[in-house]
Amino acid sequence: MAPDGIGTALRRKEDKRFITGNGHYTDDLNRQGQAHAYFLRSPLAHARIRSIKTADAEKADGVVAVFTGKDVQAAGLGGLICGWMVKSKDGSDMKAGAHPALAVDRVRYVGDHVAVVIAETLDQAKDAADLIDVDYEELAPIVATADADAPDAPRVHDEAPDNVCFDWEIGDKAATDGAFEKASHVTRMSLINNRLIPNAIEPRAAVGEFDPGTDSYTLYTTSQNPHVARLVLSAFVGIAPEHKLRVVAPDVGGGFGSKIFIYAEETICVWAAAKVKRPVKWTAERGESFLSDAHGRDHVTEAEMALDADGRILGLRVHTKANLGAYLSTFASAVPTYLYGTLLSGQYAIPAIHCEVRGLYTNTAPVDAYRGAGRPEATYVVERMCERAARDLKMDPAEFRRKNFIQPDAYPYQTPVIMTYDCGDYPRGLQKALENADYANFAKRRSESEARGKLRGVGFSSYIEACGIAPSAAVGSLGAGVGLWESAKIRFNPTGNVTVYTGAHSHGQGHETSFAQLISSYLGVDPANVEVSHGDTAQTPFGMGTYGSRSLAVGGSAIFKAAEKVIEKGKKIAAHLMEASEGDIEFKDGKFTVAGTDNSKTIQEIAFSAYVPHNYPADLEPGLEESAFYDPINFTFPAGTQICEVEIDPDTGVTEIVNFVAVDDFGVIINPMIVEGQVHGGIAQGVGQALLENCVYDTATGQLLTGSYMDYCMPRADNLPSFNIGMIETRNPSNPLGVKGCGEAGAIAAPAAVMNAVTDAIGMEIQMPASPERVWRAIQQNRQAVAAE
């Protein structure tokens, strides 16, 4: 292995520019002659637009133009689309209401886009927006997920009379009903997966440009998948033919899913640039992000688990209502269906599962993928149910899991909900987590807490996720509008350094380091001599971007395939240079050697020769660069166990996490330091959901009540413990690197682990977030109930 190759904790190359303030983000871009966009947003959750008068705004100081939905409609621009088709269980297509970039005759949530003002300065644009007169006819809103399909609920889209976008199912209903009929015990729970608002450090931003000389557009934007953005804006919205539209996503300060999607603001900025013949810039203020970034989660679930007398799971039955918001976002329909229902088997051998999901429109911001996307929701259901079932049966939660785990010799394992797990060792992960958590001495620690008047609890979460999104054939058959392969190109320069072009996109994951380590391992080039290029549709091969922990499993595998081609080409050149048969050339550690001799050429010598040839045979092309596309044969299935231990002050309801252990199986680890960082960040987001974060709309008015950091409680450093991170490895057999993906595990597992610990401590069930007030009220309620007995 090369010194800085796979398995090395190499410090991140890109951090030099990030921590020295030399990153280049979209808001850093200022084009000559640029104007500024400001979006007038609906103050009402639901209303008809009787009229929009813009004359006064158009005459205001500095105003370049004002556009409304009718202007966009008149220009022939299409609306925003959802890229995943879901069918209801009766076979009918999902009911997709129109999603115009600027509202035409109706607004459907607070923050919906009504008009855009383009002016010389942002302040002038804001002042002019105040002069726009919008005559609204206010309508009653519906925001509560549980009530959205009630017969008398206000209708969000005419296309969906009962606000049901789809009524979907997965699994075998008859077999599941049969499992419940023979059960010795049934555990039932009502679970709410609270709505979250993504908060990347860098808000969304866009700069649109138009070149009248070539009739071409450029959009600089905070995107996780610039090629897909270009495809949608070209093929569906109709901005321009693809060869006339360039999308660039430079350094991006975090995404967590919220920057996968095609939004109105970026669409309007690049379209308007041609209208006003000037670059148009927009950067979201934090308040706009709260209102209009796609939100995450928001499920209401009724779940039942059937068990036999020995504590084995016989069946799982799940009914979920999923809030989709006011419009279908880019991948909204996939999240509560194929990214959720297909993971309900968890790590367990459950013979029968049936899940029904009703996707519902409400007068709230659109809901789409957020770190984990469907997998956290599935894990929350399965792991809360397992913990509850174990306690119902008075079994140790660890023993309950061990009894029901899929065993290491059972792979490939076909679940009742589509997925075929390819490898894993769940008992080993649990055992290591138990040891790291010192679970054997938990009872002693609980007694010590009780002596101090405190409540102590412990909770488990043995999660699994489907990553490496995704095998194109699989997702295509499930409704995806595109295949989800990935691409890469490796180009050697004559002096032997390398540029890797990837269709993946890095917005904090450390690709520039991890991908360079792959080149170091496969081609023997020092990572310092490897440059990684991404995020520019004019520079990189078509790719599907970064989300779903796919960068290494899919994008890295494409790099591997391209490296194989480089070696193959290098052998031809080496054979020519060393006057040997190509079949006798071996490649190892960056050297091509004639087998059985010490006659060799370094890959750098081969690269130099490839660019200055004068006597190559006719069938040997000059140059040393190769491209590859990689389409995975299966998802990858990272898995692990997290154990959370909490101590609660019953007088205040404050929960302190006193120990948090995570043992994960991510397959082969490329850079352990980067992986640990990803796990830390994911756990922090999971703890945030469990204890602090909660998006709240007023049910009467539809106003967002948690629209700032004063109301929406993000986790801070003092809310988090030092995490105890451990790893096991089962090499993934489904991709050439053996990797599985690590970016979302913490956010997937942590909410269930924390909530299982909290409910263990207080002795009753509560819903997320377990805020001090909720915990305190639950403790008081429990005490009153005990006193009344």
Side-chain angles (χ1 to χ4, degrees):
M1 184 183 74
D4 291 328
I6 293 172
T8 305
L10 184 66
R11 300 184 74 171
R12 298 191 350 157
K13 298 171 61 176
E14 52 269 65
D15 283 350
K16 178 181 179 183
R17 71 173 186 275
F18 292 151
I19 64 176
T20 57
N22 288 297
H24 295 283
Y25 299 87
T26 300
D27 192 52
D28 293 326
L29 299 171
N30 290 293
R31 320 308 284 182
Q32 187 173 9
Q34 78 182 12
H36 296 264
Y38 179 76
F39 287 84
L40 180 68
R41 299 175 184 278
S42 171
L44 302 173
H46 197 193
R48 286 194 181 86
I49 299 174
R50 293 195 184 102
S51 66
I52 304 177
K53 296 177 181 176
T54 61
D56 290 344
E58 291 168 0
K59 291 183 287 189
D61 288 346
V63 170
V64 176
V66 180
F67 297 113
T68 68
K70 290 187 177 178
D71 296 319
V72 176
Q73 194 176 50
L77 223 62
L80 306 178
I81 65 158
C82 178
W84 198 299
M85 175 60 70
V86 169
K87 288 184 179 294
S88 291
K89 55 191 176 187
D90 64 2
S92 63
D93 292 338
M94 65 184 187
K95 299 176 176 63
H99 188 181
L102 297 179
V104 177
D105 55 8
R106 197 163 155 190
V107 289
R108 292 181 169 86
Y109 68 99
V110 173
D112 203 353
H113 314 74
V114 176
V116 60
V117 179
I118 299 169
E120 299 292 344
T121 70
L122 179 59
D123 286 342
Q124 288 173 328
K126 287 182 175 180
D127 290 343
D130 288 340
L131 302 176
I132 297 175
D133 181 11
V134 185
D135 184 8
Y136 293 107
E137 177 191 354
E138 188 167 0
L139 303 171
I142 175 69
V143 301
T145 309
D147 302 331
D149 56 350
D152 58 347
R155 184 187 302 174
V156 181
H157 290 279
D158 294 341
E159 294 84 349
D162 51 3
N163 290 327
V164 178
C165 177
F166 53 79
D167 188 1
W168 177 88
E169 69 175 348
I170 193 170
D172 189 328
K173 184 176 187 306
T176 306
D177 289 345
F180 278 82
E181 288 173 3
K182 62 184 179 184
S184 298
H185 173 80
V186 176
T187 288
R188 296 183 174 87
M189 292 187 78
S190 298
L191 297 161
I192 294 175
N193 207 296
N194 44 322
R195 189 183 182 108
L196 302 177
I197 302 176
N199 275 281
I201 291 175
E202 182 198 16
R204 287 189 296 118
V207 179
E209 286 187 304
F210 177 70
D211 183 344
T214 60
D215 288 332
S216 60
Y217 295 76
T218 301
L219 172 63
Y220 297 91
T221 181
T222 50
S223 174
Q224 296 179 222
N225 50 0
H227 280 96
V228 175
R230 185 184 67 167
L231 174 63
V232 172
L233 292 172
S234 175
F236 298 96
V237 180
I239 296 290
E242 259 188 297
H243 69 292
K244 295 290 187 182
L245 176 58
R246 176 187 177 194
V247 176
V248 184
D251 287 330
V252 174
F256 311 115
S258 68
K259 293 172 181 169
I260 299 174
F261 323 123
I262 314 303
Y263 287 94
E265 293 88 350
E266 293 89 331
T267 303
I268 293 299
C269 282
V270 69
W271 168 77
K275 292 292 181 185
V276 303
K277 296 181 171 50
R278 298 172 60 172
V280 175
K281 181 174 183 176
W282 169 80
T283 301
E285 296 179 353
R286 188 58 70 177
E288 289 183 287
S289 297
F290 274 97
L291 286 174
S292 63
D293 286 4
H295 294 175
R297 317 292 192 246
D298 204 342
H299 282 194
V300 174
T301 294
E302 298 294 330
E304 302 171 282
M305 181 174 281
L307 302 130
D308 70 12
D310 293 329
R312 293 192 184 278
I313 306 171
L314 300 176
L316 180 66
R317 194 155 53 198
V318 177
H319 298 267
T320 292
K321 292 184 179 182
N323 195 336
L324 302 173
Y327 302 101
L328 280 178
S329 180
T330 312
F331 294 106
S333 54
V335 177
T337 54
Y338 290 105
L339 296 178
Y340 168 69
T342 55
L343 268 297
L344 286 173
S345 191
Q347 298 188 9
Y348 307 103
I350 304 177
I353 299 173
H354 184 246
C355 171
E356 293 179 310
V357 179
R358 288 166 76 83
L360 304 174
Y361 290 114
T362 62
N363 295 113
T364 62
V367 179
D368 208 322
Y370 176 60
R371 199 169 191 174
R375 284 74 56 91
E377 295 92 317
T379 295
Y380 191 68
V381 171
V382 174
E383 290 304 302
R384 293 300 317 279
M385 290 294 292
C386 283
E387 198 94 348
R388 181 74 267 155
R391 289 171 183 159
D392 284 352
L393 299 173
K394 304 195 183 310
M395 289 180 64
D396 183 286
E399 181 56 30
F400 179 87
R401 286 173 168 82
R402 193 179 283 116
K403 180 186 285 284
N404 284 287
F405 276 155
I406 298 163
Q407 295 303 303
D409 59 358
Y411 301 99
Y413 179 83
Q414 178 64 58
T415 73
V417 280
I418 295 180
M419 292 296 182
T420 303
Y421 300 164
D422 49 13
C423 68
D425 191 343
Y426 311 141
R428 181 155 62 102
L430 173 64
Q431 184 58 37
K432 185 167 182 176
L434 291 171
E435 293 167 2
N436 290 359
D438 188 23
Y439 183 63
N441 290 308
F442 169 73
K444 179 181 177 183
R445 297 193 293 276
R446 173 177 262 175
S447 297
E448 292 171 350
S449 292
E450 289 173 353
R452 292 184 282 107
K454 302 294 177 66
L455 304 173
R456 185 174 283 250
V458 65
F460 293 76
S461 180
S462 295
Y463 76 97
I464 192 168
E465 53 174 325
C467 292
I469 294 176
S472 295
V475 296
S477 69
L478 301 178
V482 295
L484 293 174
W485 41 265
E486 198 47 82
S487 64
K489 180 166 72 176
I490 298 173
R491 175 185 292 167
F492 270 81
N493 298 313
T495 52
N497 45 44
V498 176
T499 303
V500 176
Y501 301 88
T502 173
H505 181 271
S506 181
H507 32 279
Q509 293 90 340
H511 291 178
E512 294 171 39
T513 304
S514 299
F515 289 176
Q517 289 182 261
L518 294 182
I519 297 298
S520 177
S521 284
Y522 298 137
L523 299 178
V525 177
D526 188 325
N529 291 327
V530 180
E531 198 75 19
V532 175
S533 177
H534 63 91
D536 186 342
T537 61
Q539 300 293 326
T540 58
F542 197 104
M544 292 298 170
T546 293
Y547 43 86
S549 295
R550 68 189 306 274
S551 292
L552 270 172
V554 191
S557 294
I559 293 172
F560 173 84
K561 293 292 184 183
E564 285 189 321
K565 292 182 178 180
V566 167
I567 293 170
E568 184 180 348
K569 174 74 176 291
K571 286 182 176 179
K572 296 180 187 295
I573 298 173
H576 168 71
L577 294 179
M578 295 187 283
E579 298 180 342
S581 168
E582 182 183 335
D584 290 336
I585 302 298
E586 297 175 341
F587 180 75
K588 185 179 180 182
D589 296 335
K591 284 186 178 180
F592 294 89
T593 303
V594 180
T597 76
D598 59 358
N599 193 11
S600 65
K601 296 285 185 185
T602 67
I603 198 165
Q604 288 78 16
E605 291 174 307
I606 297 297
F608 185 80
S609 168
Y611 288 101
V612 294
H614 54 82
N615 61 351
Y616 274 10
D619 61 346
L620 184 55
E621 293 181 355
L624 192 58
E625 66 175 58
E626 298 290 344
S627 298
F629 289 72
Y630 177 76
D631 198 346
I633 60 174
N634 194 2
F635 295 91
T636 67
F637 298 97
T641 290
Q642 296 187 356
I643 301 176
C644 177
E645 192 168 323
V646 301
E647 188 175 78
I648 294 174
D649 184 338
D651 294 329
T652 64
V654 171
T655 299
E656 180 186 2
I657 298 176
V658 294
N659 194 18
F660 198 106
V661 168
V663 174
D664 299 290
D665 178 3
F666 298 135
V668 173
I669 301 295
I670 306 299
N671 185 317
M673 183 166 57
I674 290 178
V675 168
E676 286 198 16
Q678 291 273 356
V679 175
H680 287 188
I683 294 173
Q685 286 188 292
V687 169
Q689 176 173 15
L691 297 181
L692 303 161
E693 297 180 57
N694 199 27
C695 173
V696 180
Y697 282 93
D698 183 277
T699 54
T701 65
Q703 295 294 322
L704 179 62
L705 301 180
T706 52
S708 75
Y709 289 136
M710 293 295 290
D711 314 300
Y712 188 88
C713 189
M714 294 285 288
R716 297 172 172 82
D718 62 353
N719 297 122
L720 303 168
S722 291
F723 305 122
N724 183 333
I725 306 297
M727 305 282 173
I728 66 169
E729 177 184 315
T730 59
R731 184 183 177 88
N732 189 302
S734 301
N735 63 63
L737 307 186
V739 299
K740 297 186 178 183
C742 66
E744 298 158 302
I748 289 171
V754 174
M755 290 304 295
N756 284 335
V758 169
T759 55
D760 181 47
I762 65 177
M764 63 184 302
E765 299 292 340
I766 62 172
Q767 304 288 358
M768 293 191 291
S771 63
E773 181 194 5
R774 281 189 181 177
V775 171
W776 182 85
R777 288 185 184 278
I779 292 170
Q780 303 312 309
Q781 182 182 344
N782 203 20
R783 284 176 173 171
Q784 291 171 7
V786 171
E789 289 178 353

